[in-house]
Amino acid sequence: MNNRIVVVGSINADLNVLVDRHPAPGETILGSGGNITAGGKGANQAVAAALQGADVAFIGAVGNDPYAQPALEFLRSSGVDLSAVTEADETTGLAVITVSKDGENNIVVIPGANALVNCDYVSSHSDLLAHAGIVLLQGEIPADGFKEAVHHTMGRVVVNLAPVIEVEKSALLEADPIIANEHEAGLILDQLDASIDSTDPHDLAQALLDAGFASVVMTLGSAGALVADSTGITDIATPKVQAVDTTGAGDAFAGAFCARLIKGDSLVDAAQHAARVGAFSVQTAGAQASYPDAGATLPTV
Ligand code: RIB
């Protein structure tokens, strides 16, 4: 397998707002913070993988506004190949993130330039995709860009469909694995007309396999993760840590997971490492700024 990971995804500037608690519908509350940091699920996963030592290239877009530079900071410093990132006459993707005292977040994303990562744009980078060992996708680009990326992939497709957007069924089922949390797993099953009554993670994982995925990785927050394929379902423990900010923890997991997978780890070994990287990331504020490099001491289970 070619050892390059190509991420086709979003690049956002994250506007971080700290609140005591999340507002109820119709309620106004006071917050603090207001700083801009690097985010976007695609960019977060690319940076997480690169910091774990992987060779990573990115297909995406930023605007020609002041948010582009902070949004690209860690992609640049972690050595991600940005030759397929265009600067468009648009606004850079913006995520408004409220983080409460218990570390939980709410996120609203304005796609901006990420909306340009469509079929035509992705197709113009087909060579990069054809030579990738892993193509890693999320749900913050247009559905036709997602489909086109899968179409040109000769290697392994890994999908973390966050947020869950409607994508072509045959393209989605190429994911090996599909990475999802419990909520996303339910929505993906709905999309595939394969909904189940249970919310038990093992049942959801089995339903995703039954729906046609070759493998499933389900992230379960502080409860760890699980890996499911035709050989069975394996629970993955995660280290117990004090959560300060969970923003981008799932992205840290997905990026670190792919970094290990492309080096030849099994799904289970890669997920065990990724759970430790995800746990490391929740201990400090922000998404990419909280990610460990390969030399960091990771928390243990
Ligand atoms: O998963 C966290 C990310 O979601 C943030 O960085 C934000 O940009 C949104 O894409």
Side-chain angles (χ1 to χ4, degrees), residues 10-16 37-42 44-45 93-97 105 107-109 140 160 162-163 246-251 286-288 291:
S10 58
I11 302 170
N12 292 338
D14 287 354
L15 171 61
N16 302 286
T37 55
K41 294 184 195 300
N44 293 347
Q45 295 180 20
L94 179 67
V96 181
I97 302 178
N105 62 63
I107 304 178
V108 177
V109 174
E140 286 186 341
N160 172 220
T246 57
T247 304
D251 300 328
Q288 295 166 37
Y291 294 171

Side-chain angles (χ1 to χ4, degrees), residues 241-255:
V241 294
Q242 184 68 44
V244 171
D245 181 359
T246 57
T247 304
D251 300 328
F253 182 103

Side-chain angles (χ1 to χ4, degrees), residues 26 63 75 101 112 119 166 174 189 191 193 195 211 251:
L75 283 165
K101 272 191 168 158
C119 177
E166 284 276 335
E174 287 294 318
L189 288 168
Q191 186 174 147
D193 294 323
S195 309
D251 300 328

Side-chain angles (χ1 to χ4, degrees), residues 97-114:
I97 302 178
T98 51
V99 181
S100 61
K101 272 191 168 158
D102 58 7
E104 289 303 327
N105 62 63
N106 281 338
I107 304 178
V108 177
V109 174
I110 302 166
N114 296 312

